Amino acid sequence: MNHFPEAWGRPRNDVYGAYDASHLQSSMPNQHTQSPIVTGTSVVALKFNGGVVIAADNLASYGSLARFTDIERLKQVGTHTVVGAGGDISDMQYLHEKLLDPLIIKEEYQNDGHHLRASHIYRYLSRVLYQRRCKFNPLWNTLLVAGWDEGKSFLASADLLGTTFAAPALATGFGAHLAVPLLRRVCPDEAAVENITREQAIAAVEECMKVLFYRDARSLNKYSLAIITGEGVESVGEGAAKEKVTIEWKKDVELQNQSWKFAEGIRGYGAQVV
């Protein structure tokens, strides 16, 4: 009788024949997601003197079907940062629930007076995206990270290839083509940020959301908007200082004063068929 451990619980080969282990072997290679399924479209953000405005609509599309109309694509991360995500919704949820939430819990548990600022979150996410790209299993998202960092506003982008850059006006998806030119009229460079008020920035972003609703078939006329403002620093004793950061939320904002009259002059619309 065979008393070796690898034979325990198995029939004897000389009586029942050799053990067939083929069902234990995988006949197919590992497969990764090749394209997103449920997706969100543009995220729009603009710096102003003293903060950042960021907005994203609440639609998640199943292919060409406007399936989910209450998806929040902006998420507060810590006390200084808001992350907006375009692209695959399940990958966005993975980033928030499996990576960012545990990261914030771990940092806050230390209770040492230090907080993760916007640049910290941004560098972490950019490295996660690049690492997944190197594994040929990317997270199908383009992220905008907006917040407050070392006494000034912060805004930067990272995509599924790990490409990273910063600018005073950013947008993802269709917004990169339609919204960014409108935002650059208001804020062409970093020097112009000092001359932009909070009200001007909000008005510019709201106008972009309206244009995107007109032009992007995967957008919605209901969106969320976050305003991150910094108010300098306050002393917390022992020579330490803490930044005052306020994040104001406006959710389920509906577009106002919509007008489709511009479409009357478009060939193929209404009477313009030739």
Side-chain angles (χ1 to χ4, degrees):
M1 183 176 179
N2 187 350
H3 293 283
F4 291 107
E6 63 268 17
W8 292 352
R10 287 174 51 182
R12 289 173 51 181
N13 290 348
D14 58 340
V15 175
Y16 298 99
Y19 186 77
D20 182 11
S22 62
H23 68 281
L24 300 176
Q25 300 174 2
S26 175
S27 60
M28 296 295 292
N30 291 333
Q31 296 184 354
H32 301 312
T33 302
Q34 299 299 308
S35 61
I37 303 299
V38 179
T39 60
T41 182
S42 305
V43 182
V44 180
L46 177 65
K47 287 183 179 181
F48 63 89
N49 187 3
V52 188
V53 178
I54 184 170
D57 68 56
N58 298 343
L59 180 66
S61 301
Y62 182 79
S64 60
L65 174 66
R67 178 64 180 85
F68 306 100
T69 59
D70 58 351
I71 300 299
E72 182 62 64
R73 295 191 292 119
L74 300 182
K75 180 177 177 62
Q76 182 172 341
V77 182
T79 58
H80 290 59
T81 313
V82 173
V83 176
D88 191 73
I89 298 300
S90 60
D91 284 348
M92 176 194 76
Q93 293 171 336
Y94 167 78
L95 279 170
H96 290 326
E97 297 175 10
K98 300 297 185 180
L99 299 181
L100 291 177
D101 285 349
L103 177 68
I104 294 300
I105 291 172
K106 179 180 177 181
E107 289 296 324
E108 295 296 332
Y109 183 76
Q110 298 179 25
N111 195 26
D112 56 2
H114 297 279
H115 301 278
L116 290 177
R117 297 191 298 272
S119 63
H120 302 150
I121 301 296
Y122 175 64
R123 286 195 289 267
Y124 172 76
L125 289 173
S126 64
R127 282 154 178 77
V128 168
L129 291 169
Y130 183 71
Q131 186 262 354
R132 288 291 296 264
R133 168 258 179 124
C134 291
K135 293 174 64 178
F136 295 93
N137 186 22
L139 295 169
W140 290 79
N141 296 112
T142 301
L143 307 177
L144 294 189
V145 180
W148 193 257
D149 186 81
E150 295 184 347
K152 58 184 179 181
S153 56
F154 180 92
L155 178 60
S157 169
D159 66 11
L160 76 165
L161 298 178
T163 305
T164 59
F165 60 93
L170 290 174
T172 73
F174 234 124
H177 306 283
L178 297 177
V180 170
L182 300 177
L183 295 176
R184 285 178 177 170
R185 291 181 182 178
V186 179
C187 185
D189 51 39
E190 287 286 351
V193 173
E194 298 298 323
N195 300 320
I196 301 174
T197 64
R198 170 192 168 112
E199 291 72 22
Q200 289 174 326
I202 294 174
V205 169
E206 289 178 342
E207 184 66 21
C208 288
M209 298 305 292
K210 181 183 293 186
V211 170
L212 288 170
F213 176 62
Y214 288 154
R215 297 292 188 176
D216 187 356
R218 304 293 175 265
S219 63
L220 191 67
N221 62 342
K222 185 175 66 174
Y223 62 93
S224 296
L225 184 142
I227 308 162
I228 307 103
T229 55
E231 303 174 1
V233 297
E234 62 177 346
S235 176
V236 294
E238 299 295 334
K242 178 182 178 182
E243 293 177 323
K244 295 181 180 179
V245 181
T246 303
I247 300 180
E248 178 185 345
W249 288 93
K250 297 182 179 180
K251 297 190 176 183
D252 295 331
V253 180
E254 293 190 10
L255 296 178
Q256 303 296 323
N257 302 320
Q258 298 180 44
S259 174
W260 294 91
K261 290 185 177 180
F262 71 90
E264 295 178 356
I266 298 176
R267 183 175 299 176
Y269 177 86
Q272 302 293 326
V273 295
V274 295

